[in-house]
Amino acid sequence: KFNSKSSTNVILSGSYGTGKTHLAKASLYALRHKGFFVIFVQADRMLEMFLASSPTTEYGDDHKDALRLVSDLERADLVIMDDLGSQTTKTESDYFKDRFRALMDRMRGRYIITTNSDKTQLRERLGDAIMSRLLENSMVLTMTGSDYRQKKTK
């Protein structure tokens, strides 16, 4: 049972094609059907939006969209971040880490993350402080199996 005020975070980890995104989207549809405000965002898109919301960014439509997304992420009942860890090296920027850390503080207990990376790879990319926040009150589920997309094409 989902409780938007205090629920366990879920991190779906594993190789590509094992159903992580499928399971996350199924959760999205079920919770939206029950009236919860759920956001699904590709992690690389979130990174672009964080960078677009930087104080050094020129103000324009991208900047407004970025600020709106950040606001929505902070007030959502649940945020689903898809494919965390696949971003370019921009994730290592101090601004991204500061924004992401602040967002994690506001979203405690309200996210599902999918990733092809293991904990060590994520820690290298995101740093110790963010990993501490990600793993706090989190259930890590490792998805195993072969790529179901390849099974479809055979």
Side-chain angles (χ1 to χ4, degrees):
K1 183 175 178 175
F2 178 75
N3 177 340
S4 65
K5 301 298 181 220
S6 63
S7 64
T8 301
N9 307 315
V10 177
I11 300 173
L12 300 172
S13 175
S15 186
Y16 53 88
T18 55
K20 299 176 300 294
T21 300
H22 181 83
L23 186 58
K25 284 188 175 181
S27 300
L28 169 124
Y29 296 127
L31 291 171
R32 278 188 179 167
H33 183 73
K34 292 182 178 185
F36 289 101
F37 177 36
V38 182
I39 294 177
F40 180 94
V41 62
Q42 293 285 342
D44 59 348
R45 180 68 177 141
M46 186 175 67
L47 169 62
E48 290 171 14
M49 293 302 242
F50 279 176
L51 295 175
S53 70
S54 166
T56 60
T57 303
E58 288 185 32
Y59 291 88
D61 290 339
D62 286 345
H63 184 78
K64 290 175 189 171
D65 289 345
L67 293 176
R68 187 176 312 115
L69 175 63
V70 170
S71 174
D72 285 349
L73 290 169
E74 290 174 352
R75 68 182 181 84
D77 294 313
L78 177 71
V79 174
I80 299 173
M81 286 178 269
D82 190 42
D83 215 9
L84 184 67
S86 65
Q87 301 73 19
T88 64
T89 56
K90 290 179 186 174
T91 55
E92 295 164 6
S93 77
D94 289 338
Y95 182 75
F96 172 78
K97 287 181 180 180
D98 289 344
R99 290 298 306 188
F100 193 74
R101 190 171 28 248
L103 180 65
M104 298 312 299
D105 285 343
R106 291 185 183 104
M107 291 183 354
R108 287 214 173 139
R110 302 185 304 157
Y111 57 83
I112 295 173
I113 293 173
T114 70
T115 183
N116 292 332
S117 302
D118 62 26
K119 289 180 195 176
T120 302
Q121 293 165 325
L122 284 176
R123 186 176 306 281
E124 288 171 3
R125 195 165 272 275
L126 301 173
D128 292 333
I130 291 174
M131 280 304 294
S132 176
R133 283 169 175 79
L134 283 176
L135 295 173
E136 180 182 11
N137 195 34
S138 292
M139 177 184 350
V140 178
L141 302 174
T142 302
M143 309 287 283
T144 59
S146 55
D147 181 354
Y148 76 91
R149 291 182 201 99
Q150 295 302 314
K151 290 179 184 177
K152 286 182 177 180
T153 60
K154 290 183 179 179

